[in-house]
Amino acid sequence: MGRKLETIEEITSEMMRLHSLLPARPSPEELQLAQQNLSKVDVNLPAKLEELFLQARPAGVPPPIFRAFQEMREDVLRTHAQVDKQIAMATIEIERRHSHYGALLQRVKIVASHPLSKTGMGHAVGPERKFHGNPLVDGKLSSLPMVSEDSVITQIWPETLEQKIQPSKNRSLRFSSQETTAKYIALDGDGVRGARVFSQQLMRTLDRAVAKKSEVLDLSNMSLSWLPESIGLVMNLTSLDLSGTLQTSWKLCWNELQEIPESIGELARLVLLNVQSNQLKRLPEALGCLTNLATLNIQKNSIEELPWTIGLCTSLVELNADFNKLKALPEAMGHLVLLQRISVHLNSLRSLPTTISLLTNLTQLDVHFNQLETVPESLCSLPNLTNLDLSSNFTELKELPKSIGRLQSLREVDISFNHITELPASFVLLTGLQKLTLDGNPLRMPPLQIAQQGKEAIFNYMNDMLQHLEAEEKVRSRKMGMASMMTVFKKNKIANFRVKDDPDLSIKA
């Protein structure tokens, strides 16, 4: 790793050198363009695929050749979309890295400026502060020392600036985003002074929230890169908002939390938790201590899996986990019997938990833009499901569950842009459907030209086909019955003939 670094100055210098190794920071215009391109990919690809699927086969081209041609064109479209998406996401990631490295440098400068840092006590400021021993004992915090953060900050920067905290009548606290951030930028060219003001205000906000027994705390769009463990002391909270991103006239302002402290489990009264638009890769297992949590919004992060303890959040009514990297949902979700809405679009899900059949209060399920390969039959046991979106799983999803007709409460179904070739026979039982979207599937049953005419035409065609098949089955059964009778008759006739014709056989018989 190179020469040994022994002083704060050497470490700071090395951090600045490492920061300089990043690719050039994108301009605000480049960043905005990247975000626009990212949105366009998600809109343009389905439209192009739909146009491709709707193209008719030329009369002189055999079906196998035309299908091979279409498959190659589809793959080219997806490849270009993936490349465009990667380029846009790379630009956004570079901006996030620059912002994160800048925040780390500011934190180092803050601690280094305090005389205690030379005695080894500078670690008291920032997310690296650790508890001695296990802070969680049977789901409760054994201790939450609060002296380290606020006392050190107060010693370094006595309160000289007017607080921008705005308490409201319902005992909620919030930073003023525009005023605080403007002060953050304007006070000092390198941002160090602004970081001091921000850290000071954050800790005082938490102190005040504890003192006032605040029920609502809004820390959204505040460029947060860490959250102190002392958040667990604000035990009266029912609503906690840690979300970003906010577009202002001069910059993009977002939170950049990479983890939520385990002390979040102390907020036993919490009903709403919003951590959307951060950089979270995981959720704390202490989430299971939030037994009153009704709404959980974790969309637009980088979370790859949900903790099994989510099954302990038995009051959960709504889960929004869009725009993450989820590969599966835990089977423990079957315990969330009050859950009414699940939205997990734009993830990497390949399947749904079999325990989904236990979510009898579920009314909305959105899993579009994933990689679903199958939909479990257990999904068809949901008596209250009204909205089902399985769209844009593309070539991965090839069939629907055979018993889908049992979902008698369904009102809206979207299965567009998959690789479904036929609808199950039980589909005709969904008589309460008000909206059905099938675009972008290589349908053969019903034929594509019928599907394009809408729900009524589809149901009429499928009913006619079923009646025709039933009639054919009856004819086939009659023929088989007649054939069976003829076979028996012939066998008996042959046996009688042989007995009558051969005296030896009759004696043996």
Side-chain angles (χ1 to χ4, degrees):
M1 294 296 292
R3 65 187 182 87
K4 186 177 180 181
L5 304 176
E6 298 182 346
T7 66
I8 294 175
E9 290 76 12
E10 288 177 340
I11 290 175
T12 304
S13 177
E14 179 63 12
M15 289 180 69
M16 293 177 68
R17 186 187 72 81
L18 293 173
H19 190 180
S20 68
L21 295 178
L22 285 176
R25 188 167 192 168
S27 65
E29 293 77 14
E30 291 173 331
L31 189 60
Q32 185 176 7
L33 181 61
Q35 290 179 325
Q36 290 174 352
N37 289 341
L38 195 59
S39 300
K40 285 180 181 178
V41 169
D42 294 333
V43 174
N44 292 344
L45 179 59
K48 290 178 180 178
L49 288 174
E50 181 179 14
E51 182 181 352
L52 178 64
F53 290 142
L54 293 178
Q55 287 181 357
R57 176 175 61 85
V61 179
I65 295 177
F66 185 68
R67 280 198 296 271
F69 174 57
Q70 291 290 77
E71 186 175 338
M72 182 177 290
R73 294 178 66 192
E74 179 185 351
D75 189 69
V76 169
L77 286 175
R78 293 186 190 282
T79 302
H80 285 173
Q82 187 176 5
V83 170
D84 291 343
K85 200 168 188 176
Q86 288 174 345
I87 293 172
M89 291 179 70
T91 302
I92 294 172
E93 181 62 23
I94 290 171
E95 168 60 30
R96 287 189 174 184
R97 294 290 178 187
H98 274 285
S99 182
H100 179 55
Y101 287 12
L104 291 176
L105 279 167
Q106 289 166 7
R107 197 187 307 164
V108 168
K109 291 178 182 179
I110 291 170
V111 177
S113 65
H114 186 254
L116 290 179
S117 65
K118 301 185 186 304
T119 66
M121 295 180 62
H123 69 281
V125 179
E128 288 76 15
R129 178 174 58 86
K130 303 291 183 183
F131 291 111
H132 297 289
N134 185 3
L136 281 169
V137 180
D138 296 329
K140 299 295 182 181
L141 288 175
S142 58
S143 63
L144 276 173
M146 209 174 158
V147 177
S148 56
E149 287 137 332
D150 195 48
S151 60
V152 173
I153 291 174
T154 305
Q155 289 177 42
I156 302 175
W157 306 291
E159 185 175 2
T160 57
L161 296 172
E162 179 185 0
Q163 293 295 315
K164 297 299 178 182
I165 301 166
Q166 302 172 342
S168 63
K169 293 181 181 179
N170 65 346
R171 299 192 310 189
S172 66
L173 291 176
R174 166 160 175 78
F175 281 129
S176 170
S177 177
Q178 293 181 348
E179 293 176 342
T180 303
T181 313
K183 184 180 292 184
Y184 182 101
I185 296 300
L187 284 172
D188 197 335
D190 62 5
V192 175
R193 176 62 176 170
R196 294 173 180 175
V197 173
F198 178 75
S199 298
Q200 186 180 21
Q201 288 186 335
L202 173 59
M203 298 314 303
R204 286 177 179 163
T205 296
L206 296 181
D207 274 349
R208 290 191 180 191
V210 173
K212 293 177 177 291
K213 298 182 178 180
S214 296
E215 297 174 0
V216 179
L217 183 60
D218 188 348
L219 298 174
S220 60
N221 305 307
M222 293 306 303
S223 298
L224 287 178
S225 59
W226 60 277
L227 189 66
E229 291 277 359
S230 52
I231 187 69
L233 290 177
V234 196
M235 295 183 182
N236 287 286
L237 282 183
T238 60
S239 175
L240 177 59
D241 191 347
L242 301 168
S243 64
T245 304
L246 177 67
Q247 172 74 58
T248 67
S249 58
W250 46 273
K251 69 169 286 187
L252 278 171
C253 181
W254 50 45
N255 283 342
E256 298 177 323
L257 296 174
Q258 295 190 6
E259 62 179 16
I260 302 294
E262 292 287 344
S263 60
I264 197 82
E266 277 294 285
L267 307 181
R269 299 183 182 181
L270 203 63
V271 175
L272 185 151
L273 177 60
N274 185 357
V275 293
Q276 79 168 69
S277 299
N278 279 277
Q279 297 180 23
L280 298 174
K281 294 183 178 178
R282 57 177 293 274
L283 295 175
E285 291 195 354
L287 187 73
C289 297
L290 306 180
T291 53
N292 288 305
L293 191 67
T295 302
L296 177 60
N297 186 352
I298 58 173
Q299 66 171 316
K300 297 181 182 177
N301 281 281
S302 298
I303 299 171
E304 295 185 358
E305 64 178 356
L306 299 178
W308 66 270
T309 53
I310 195 173
L312 301 175
C313 300
T314 51
S315 297
L316 199 62
V317 174
E318 180 175 351
L319 172 63
N320 189 338
D322 304 333
F323 293 92
N324 276 283
K325 297 180 180 180
L326 294 173
K327 297 177 181 177
L329 297 178
E331 293 288 334
M333 285 186 65
H335 295 289
L336 307 179
V337 294
L338 298 182
L339 204 56
Q340 295 179 15
R341 181 177 182 272
I342 299 176
S343 186
V344 285
H345 71 255
L346 275 162
N347 279 278
S348 300
L349 298 176
R350 293 190 175 276
S351 63
L352 295 173
T354 55
T355 54
I356 197 170
S357 60
L358 302 176
L359 307 182
T360 54
N361 287 295
L362 195 67
T363 60
Q364 299 181 47
L365 177 61
D366 183 353
V367 286
H368 82 267
F369 264 109
N370 276 276
Q371 299 171 21
L372 284 183
E373 297 174 346
T374 59
V375 179
E377 290 288 338
S378 57
L379 175 73
C380 304
S381 300
L382 301 178
N384 295 303
L385 192 65
T386 59
N387 294 68
L388 177 61
D389 191 344
L390 299 172
S391 64
S392 300
N393 284 279
F394 302 109
T395 56
E396 281 74 15
L397 186 58
K398 295 179 173 61
E399 61 181 4
L400 297 175
K402 290 180 172 57
S403 55
I404 192 170
R406 295 170 57 194
L407 297 173
Q408 291 293 293
S409 297
L410 273 183
R411 297 294 176 266
E412 295 188 14
V413 175
D414 189 346
I415 54 174
S416 58
F417 299 103
N418 290 299
H419 208 71
I420 296 170
T421 56
E422 63 180 58
L423 299 181
S426 68
F427 204 85
V428 296
L429 300 177
L430 302 177
T431 54
L433 270 186
Q434 298 172 0
K435 183 178 180 181
L436 173 61
T437 309
L438 297 169
D439 304 337
N441 283 286
L443 281 172
R444 294 197 298 267
M445 170 61 183
L448 199 56
Q449 59 269 30
I450 298 295
Q452 290 170 353
Q453 297 175 28
K455 179 175 71 72
E456 294 299 327
I458 291 171
F459 276 53
N460 290 337
Y461 180 87
M462 292 188 69
N463 277 316
D464 291 344
M465 285 296 296
L466 286 175
Q467 291 174 8
H468 180 68
L469 290 173
E470 287 175 2
E472 284 187 345
E473 185 64 27
K474 288 179 181 178
V475 171
R476 191 179 298 111
S477 297
R478 281 200 206 97
K479 288 181 177 179
M480 289 179 65
M482 292 293 292
S484 178
M485 289 174 62
M486 288 298 293
T487 302
V488 172
F489 176 76
K490 287 179 180 178
K491 285 182 179 179
N492 290 337
K493 190 173 181 181
I494 292 171
N496 292 334
F497 174 79
R498 291 177 65 188
V499 168
K500 186 183 294 185
D501 192 54
D502 190 340
D504 293 334
L505 283 177
S506 61
I507 293 170
K508 291 176 184 177

